[in-house]
């Protein structure tokens, strides 16, 4: 975020945005994606999760 020019949200607000995230409830659809690896590896994880739905 620090390298983005003219972004509407300053990097100093990122932690507070992440702190407001909530775990999914059992009756809510969704899945977790682990942001580990290259963008291609993360995308592959997302696509694997989606194809199983």
């Amino acid at each position: 975020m620090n390298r983005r020019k003219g972004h509407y949200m300053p990097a100093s607000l990122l932690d507070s945005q992440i702190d407001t995230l909530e775990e999914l409830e059992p009756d809510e659809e969704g899945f977790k994606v682990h942001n580990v690896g290259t963008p291609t590896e993360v995308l592959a994880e997302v696509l694997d999760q989606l194809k199983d739905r």
Side-chain angles (χ1 to χ4, degrees):
M1 287 182 62
N2 289 329
R3 290 188 278 171
R4 292 181 182 176
K5 301 294 182 213
H7 195 270
Y8 72 95
M9 188 176 103
S12 61
L13 294 179
L14 181 59
D15 286 338
S16 67
Q17 295 293 305
I18 291 173
D19 289 343
T20 63
L21 293 175
E22 298 177 4
E23 292 286 331
L24 290 171
E25 295 294 325
D27 63 336
E28 295 178 311
E29 289 190 35
F31 55 87
K32 291 181 182 182
V33 176
H34 303 283
N35 190 17
V36 177
T38 67
T40 301
E41 292 168 334
V42 174
L43 175 60
E45 181 182 347
V46 171
L47 294 175
D48 283 344
Q49 292 277 358
L50 290 172
K51 77 177 180 184
D52 293 337
R53 298 193 171 276

